[in-house]
Amino acid sequence: MTHKEYLLIPGPTPIADEVYEALGQETMGHTDPRFTKIYKHAIDLTKELFNTDAEAYVISGSGTLAMEMAIVNTVSKGDRILVVSHGYFGDRFIPLAQAFGIEVDVLQAEWGTQVSLELIQQQLKAHTYKAVTVTHVDTSTGVVANIEQLIPIVKAANALFILDGVCATAALEENMGKGYGSEEAKIDIVLSGSQKAIGVPPGLAIIAFSEEALAARQDLDTVPAYYADINNWRNVMDNPSNYFATPPVNLIYAYECAMKIVLQEGMEARIKRHENYGAAIRRALNAFGMTPLAKEAVAAPTLSCILYPEGINDVEFRAKLAERGIIVAGALAHLAGKAFRIGHMGSVTATVLEHAICQIGEVLEDMGHKVTIGAALKAFRQVLTVEV
């Protein structure tokens, strides 16, 4: 497929030709044995990605639906959760939980930084929490959470660890079978969407539960949900010929194809590739006088929030880039107009990122900002050469 433009936003992300081809296949009936075989394989690949022997769900919806499924199936009205927020999307758990009568405490980082571990430990000692939510990569700030250190702290407090992996899944480690610090310190829920590092068009909610999280669901007996109740989906996930709600057949084709690509590359290689791309693109843009919001120690491998140099008009900059076929996103909240966000995840390649760097440099020149494109490309390539 000829790409007329490069979608380098925090998601959706560029789609590989093989995934488009899978998406465009003739639609089968949702109970057709040929389709149910594909659907079951997609679910099994999801469990393989998260390294879980428990349960995974792939259904029509978005990452926000997966967030709701995580909360409503484990926490009941009157219970208390702790939201560890590194930006706008970490904060989204607040109204979501409150909509179900759940008590919420919040630890919010200054944008571009992580919440301190000491502060989290103090909060966990001060109250009893049913669950703690952490956004692995916050797409508003480009900050990555340090789950290696967070998981042991949360599990030591006997809380469920709920990980929002929407902008991290298939690019960072989210290993539900791994003990982080101890055998008992594991991720309880990972939730995600199809349209970011997995590299599928929007439309799928993806979520995996540990045995401990499943036990929490059973303890609740009933939940204030119907579509989002995992008990209504269990028979379908075990055997997709069963019916609860019509699955998005063509998206499942695409998702199964993308998951095969992910696992064929291997998570170790994908993690390294995303780390390299993130560091390289930030180094290159820094050569243009642009400053990443997040310092490198806490910067995400999947996207970056980049502060403009003095005198650059955000709307004009992004419009000029779009005319050249490079689509980036504006910043959110108080950073609107002061920064832009660029995705570097999924099926994106080094060649595409180099092209984007050149176009960004030319737009900056058009806007009267003196830059050296060659220096930015050199910085980009040096990181890849050293790190590969």
Side-chain angles (χ1 to χ4, degrees):
M1 170 175 186
T2 300
H3 293 267
K4 296 179 180 179
E5 58 188 28
Y6 294 103
L7 193 59
L8 301 182
I9 62 176
T13 60
I15 308 300
D17 287 347
E18 306 97 296
V19 176
Y20 273 131
E21 290 168 5
L23 182 70
Q25 292 180 87
E26 186 172 356
T27 302
M28 298 179 196
H30 59 281
T31 58
D32 187 311
R34 295 169 297 174
F35 170 68
T36 59
K37 182 179 179 181
I38 293 170
Y39 198 177
K40 186 63 171 70
H41 189 222
I43 296 164
D44 290 342
L45 292 176
T46 304
K47 295 172 73 172
E48 183 179 345
L49 175 67
F50 293 130
N51 188 27
T52 178
D53 294 326
E55 294 182 1
Y57 302 79
V58 180
I59 68 173
S60 180
S62 68
T64 303
L65 173 64
M67 293 171 71
E68 185 164 306
M69 290 174 73
I71 296 296
V72 79
N73 285 287
T74 56
V75 186
S76 60
K77 182 177 181 180
D79 284 340
R80 185 185 292 265
I81 70 168
L82 176 63
V83 173
V84 176
S85 176
H86 296 122
Y88 180 90
F89 290 94
D91 289 348
R92 178 169 282 189
F93 276 107
I94 303 168
L96 191 157
Q98 290 173 338
F100 295 100
I102 296 165
E103 300 294 323
V104 183
D105 290 335
V106 188
L107 294 177
Q108 293 169 311
E110 179 182 351
W111 278 32
T113 68
Q114 293 174 341
V115 178
S116 78
L117 296 173
E118 292 76 17
L119 193 59
I120 295 169
Q121 287 177 310
Q122 291 172 14
Q123 191 69 32
L124 289 171
K125 289 177 181 177
H127 299 281
T128 298
Y129 293 99
K130 183 67 176 292
V132 176
T133 68
V134 177
T135 301
H136 205 168
V137 171
D138 200 295
T139 56
S140 64
T141 60
V143 170
V144 62
N146 188 340
I147 66 170
E148 290 271 356
Q149 293 181 312
L150 284 172
I151 293 170
I153 293 171
V154 171
K155 297 308 296 179
N158 295 314
L160 295 171
F161 188 89
I162 299 175
L163 185 65
D164 171 0
V166 170
C167 201
T169 299
L172 284 78
E173 181 183 80
E174 295 176 333
N175 186 343
M176 299 181 73
K178 175 180 175 179
Y180 289 82
S182 69
E183 182 59 29
E184 295 75 28
K186 295 181 179 179
I187 301 168
D188 291 297
I189 295 176
V190 180
L191 63 97
S192 197
S194 56
Q195 74 277 18
K196 295 184 185 274
I198 295 173
V200 173
L204 292 176
I206 302 154
I207 188 166
F209 284 70
S210 69
E211 293 293 349
E212 187 173 343
L214 292 172
R217 167 63 189 90
Q218 298 315 309
D219 289 344
L220 296 181
D221 190 21
T222 61
V223 298
Y226 181 64
Y227 188 82
D229 184 352
I230 61 171
N231 281 359
N232 288 332
W233 287 103
R234 185 65 259 144
N235 288 339
V236 180
M237 297 299 104
D238 288 338
N239 180 2
S241 65
N242 292 321
Y243 177 76
F244 173 59
T246 305
V249 172
N250 289 64
L251 272 176
I252 297 298
Y253 296 162
Y255 178 70
E256 188 224 17
C257 177
M259 289 296 290
K260 287 191 287 188
I261 293 171
V262 167
L263 294 171
Q264 183 175 10
E265 182 179 359
M267 278 309 300
E268 185 177 348
R270 284 184 73 87
I271 291 167
K272 191 63 177 176
R273 174 167 65 84
H274 282 85
E275 288 175 347
N276 292 343
Y277 283 176
I281 196 75
R282 286 187 291 271
R283 186 82 61 85
L285 296 180
N286 193 246
F288 289 153
M290 294 176 149
T291 307
L293 175 68
K295 294 190 183 302
E296 201 59 33
V298 299
T302 48
L303 77 122
S304 299
C305 182
I306 306 294
L307 299 169
Y308 290 117
E310 191 70 30
I312 298 299
N313 180 279
D314 169 58
V315 173
E316 182 184 359
F317 171 80
R318 289 188 290 114
K320 285 181 176 291
L321 262 187
E323 290 172 2
R324 294 166 174 268
I326 303 296
I327 312 300
V328 297
L332 300 176
H334 65 282
L335 291 180
K338 301 175 183 178
F340 71 99
R341 294 175 296 148
I342 182 168
H344 31 80
M345 69 184 114
S347 63
V348 72
T349 65
T351 300
V352 169
L353 294 176
E354 285 196 0
H355 176 65
I357 291 165
C358 291
Q359 298 306 310
I360 289 171
E362 290 180 11
V363 168
L364 289 172
E365 287 178 333
D366 287 348
M367 297 178 73
H369 188 74
K370 188 175 180 180
V371 299
T372 304
I373 294 174
L377 289 173
K378 182 179 179 180
F380 179 85
R381 291 166 183 163
Q382 280 179 333
V383 173
L384 296 189
T385 300
V386 170
E387 297 296 338
V388 169

